[in-house]
Structures are given as C-alpha cells and as structure tokens.
Amino acid sequence: MGTTGAILAAVATDVGRVRDHNEDAGLVTPHLVAVADGMGGHAAGEVAAELAVETLRGIGASDDLRPRDVVAGVLEANRAILESAARNPAQTGMATTLAALARVTVGGAPHWAVANIGDSRVYRVVDGGLTQVSQDHSEVAELVSLGLLTSEEALIHPARNIVTRCLGRDPLEPVDSWVFPPHAGERFLLCTDGLTNELRDSTIARLLTDGDDAQAIADRLVTAAVVVVLGSSYGPGGEVEDEADEETAPRNGHSEVTS
C-alpha cells in the first residue's frame, strides 16, 4: 500500500484461472496511478502493458503535474510500445489499454486528471454514489450508445472483448481525458475488464464503500489488475466471480488472441 498525504492506494493483479500468463499491469506513484491490459498473445501483451505503466512512472513522481502532462505521458507510452515492437519482430501488433488517475494543479488549486484509452475503467465514489468517469472504447459500448444493445446485453455479447482504441497503434486514436476538483472522502477504482466483465456496478459500489483498508479490497479483486485510491480510507466486502474466458483484443489489430 502506498500513502501520500490523505491518499491511500493499493494495487493487486493475478493471472486468474483461464490464462497461463498475466497481461495486466498496475502502477502506484506519489501522484499518479494507472492500470493497463495488454494484447498481443504470449509475452507481447504483457510487454505492452508494462511499457505503458512504466512510461508513466517518471511523471508520477512530480508534485507539479498539469493535465497536459498526463496526456503527454500516454502519448509517450504509445511511442515506447511502437519503438519496442519495431526492434523486436515477435512483438509486432502488441497493444494495450491504459487508464490513469493523477493529482494535478489547475489554476493554482489541486484537481484530479483522468486519461483513458481502451476499455479499462476509472470509477469514482462520492457521497456513496458510484459513477464511471472514463468511457469505454469498445464495440459493445458503441452499440449501446446507438441503442442497439442494452447495458445488460453488452455484458454477454460475443464482441465484448473487442476494443476500438488502444496504445500500440500509428496513428493513435484520440485519448480521452477529464479534469475535476477533489471531493472530501471520495474513492476511486481503476480496473481492467477482467473485473468489470464479472462484477456488476452495484457490487463494485459495495466493495468501494465497505471498510477502511485499500489493500484488502485490492486483494479481494485480485482476478484483475486493480488500483484502489481513496481520499480517506477503505476495505473488503464482496466476492469476485470467475474470470471471463475472453482476452481483450483490438478491433483491427494484428494481435493473435484466442477467445
């Protein structure tokens, strides 16, 4: 567990019961946390995810971050993935999602900045209410927005693991970002689809509002890479269901991923 001022953070990840290797990566630094879900088959996906979070590690140590620094870090992560793939043919086509939360300064006041590409998510709890800050870049999210699927149908749709944006692409699709002021006692969850494919938002909300130990909750959600960040404190309260069989895959990517 990491502690910075009034912020507590914890990270946990596990290969689960389906895959024989882990393509998720998590990062906790003094001022930035992130999760990534790699794509690209054995070895390459985990390389992409690790490159993404490690690229952000440097800016996470700064106590004078601006929102543009977070987006610039995501763009630099994309360059690092492309350069590594160019040097190593076995990594051709590797890609990753990335979701990041950073403490930044706007107009001399502290704010939160969120950056996202892919279907890894950032959730926020304020006064007991759970909201998804990030927006999924996935085929099912597009179908839901068009009214062609309901949110419940999206959870079991055969294309639910297909993302429409990811790092590791040239040109890179747009990176979404949000900036907002802090709220006393708020809590955040950063997670990959290994969690959200299995847990409904109501269960996630219960986990995020029950207890005071960030690491305990992260450990209970160990089937996916999870970062939990609190403005106060936090802990356990719920069971994690079986991990989904599908691996995240880019819509038009070159990754060799079995479903």
Side-chain angles (χ1 to χ4, degrees), residues 52-99:
V53 298
E54 286 302 314
T55 301
L56 294 181
R57 184 180 296 279
I59 69 170
S62 171
D63 60 1
D64 189 29
L65 284 177
R66 299 294 192 271
R68 63 178 178 272
D69 299 327
V70 182
V71 175
V74 176
L75 300 180
E76 180 58 33
N78 188 61
R79 285 190 288 270
I81 292 167
L82 292 172
E83 290 172 1
S84 182
R87 295 191 301 268
N88 302 278
Q91 297 174 359
T92 299
M94 70 176 178
T96 187
T97 69
L98 183 64

Side-chain angles (χ1 to χ4, degrees), residues 5-247:
I7 299 175
L8 304 177
V11 60
T13 184
D14 187 76
V15 68
R17 292 187 289 271
V18 176
R19 308 175 191 178
D20 61 359
H21 62 289
N22 194 345
E23 293 186 327
D24 292 335
L27 174 71
V28 174
T29 70
H31 302 286
L32 181 148
V33 295
V35 294
D37 182 5
M39 299 163 267
H42 190 77
E46 60 194 75
V47 170
E50 193 66 24
L51 281 170
V53 298
E54 286 302 314
T55 301
L56 294 181
R57 184 180 296 279
I59 69 170
S62 171
D63 60 1
D64 189 29
L65 284 177
R66 299 294 192 271
R68 63 178 178 272
D69 299 327
V70 182
V71 175
V74 176
L75 300 180
E76 180 58 33
N78 188 61
R79 285 190 288 270
I81 292 167
L82 292 172
E83 290 172 1
S84 182
R87 295 191 301 268
N88 302 278
Q91 297 174 359
T92 299
M94 70 176 178
T96 187
T97 69
L98 183 64
L101 169 72
R103 187 161 56 181
V104 299
T105 301
V106 177
H111 282 66
W112 292 112
V114 167
N116 175 67
I117 187 165
D119 63 354
S120 294
R121 294 181 178 177
V122 178
Y123 285 99
R124 186 190 192 198
V125 173
V126 175
D127 295 332
L130 178 77
T131 57
Q132 182 181 332
V133 179
S134 59
Q135 295 182 358
D136 293 353
H137 304 139
S138 65
E139 286 203 352
V140 294
E142 291 182 357
L143 293 173
V144 170
S145 69
L146 292 171
L148 301 176
L149 281 182
T150 66
S151 296
E152 288 299 313
E153 289 170 337
L155 293 170
I156 58 173
H157 194 277
R160 67 185 180 273
N161 63 313
I162 305 301
V163 296
T164 56
R165 303 186 205 176
C166 57
L167 297 183
R169 294 293 176 260
D170 185 16
L172 179 67
E173 300 91 343
V175 177
D176 287 346
S177 61
W178 300 263
V179 179
F180 48 90
H183 188 282
E186 65 191 343
R187 302 176 178 198
F188 292 92
L189 170 68
L190 282 71
C191 59
T192 69
D193 67 349
L195 177 70
T196 53
N197 281 346
E198 302 301 327
L199 295 181
R200 302 298 185 265
D201 283 2
S202 59
T203 302
I204 291 173
R206 176 166 54 85
L207 289 168
L208 286 172
T209 56
D210 182 14
D212 298 314
D213 186 344
Q215 189 64 60
I217 286 190
D219 289 341
R220 291 180 72 91
L221 301 176
V222 76
T223 52
V226 177
V227 174
V228 179
V229 179
L230 289 79
S232 54
S233 48
Y234 161 177
E239 298 301 324
V240 176
E241 303 172 17
D242 290 345
E243 188 175 12
D245 291 346
E246 294 83 3
E247 293 188 13

